[in-house]
């Protein structure tokens, strides 16, 4: 008698457990639940993409700073939007080279065909 009662109770418990598991899975597969899961995944993907973009932007600015230091370019706070400027000696050298080029060209006759 106890044996039958034990197995009856064990069977009933297994049936209740299986029924609740199946009902949970069925609720997960309803259209509303699937839409909510898809929206959650989309929001999560958006956050990951935003974090990636911020990491790329931070890396770009760090690399730009490293390159500016390596090339000797410094930020000039007087210029609008912090546009980078060439240091003084290089700028003067560039202006001097430009003047000498114009003087050489104006001194002699200029032939356009020599450029090709």
């Amino acid at each position: 008698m106890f044996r039958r009662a034990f197995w009856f109770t064990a069977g009933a418990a297994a049936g209740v457990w299986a029924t609740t598991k199946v009902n949970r899975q069925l609720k997960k597969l309803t259209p509303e639940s699937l839409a909510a899961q898809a929206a959650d995944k989309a929001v999560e993907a958006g956050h990951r993409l935003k974090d990636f973009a911020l990491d790329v932007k931070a890396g770009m600015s760090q690399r730009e700073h490293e390159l500016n230091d390596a090339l000797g370019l410094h930020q000039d706070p007087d210029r609008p939007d912090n546009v980078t400027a060439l240091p003084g000696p290089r700028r003067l050298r560039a202006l001097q080279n430009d003047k000498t080029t114009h003087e050489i060209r104006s001194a002699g006759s200029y032939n356009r065909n020599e450029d090709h």
Side-chain angles (χ1 to χ4, degrees), residues 6-84:
F6 170 75
W7 286 113
F8 177 76
T9 306
V16 169
W17 177 78
T19 304
T20 56
K21 282 289 212 180
V22 167
N23 285 335
R24 284 183 190 163
Q25 290 299 323
L26 287 176
K27 286 181 183 177
K28 285 183 182 178
L29 296 176
T30 60
E32 295 85 12
S33 178
L34 290 175
Q37 288 176 7
D40 289 343
K41 294 288 184 181
V43 168
E44 183 181 332
H47 286 301
R48 287 183 181 172
L49 187 60
K50 178 184 170 188
D51 291 341
F52 175 72
L54 290 175
D55 288 345
V56 168
K57 187 175 179 181
M60 285 173 47
S61 65
Q62 178 184 358
R63 182 65 178 149
E64 183 179 3
H65 182 70
E66 290 172 0
L67 289 173
N68 285 340
D69 285 346
L71 294 174
L73 301 174
H74 301 288
Q75 296 289 348
D76 188 5
D78 297 335
R79 296 189 77 165
D81 299 326
N82 285 335
V83 177
T84 57

Side-chain angles (χ1 to χ4, degrees), residues 84-104:
T84 57
L86 288 174
R90 289 185 184 179
R91 189 180 311 141
L92 291 177
R93 246 186 277 140
L95 291 175
Q96 289 171 356
N97 288 340
D98 189 41
K99 288 179 185 176
T100 57
T101 305
H102 287 301
E103 290 171 3
I104 292 171

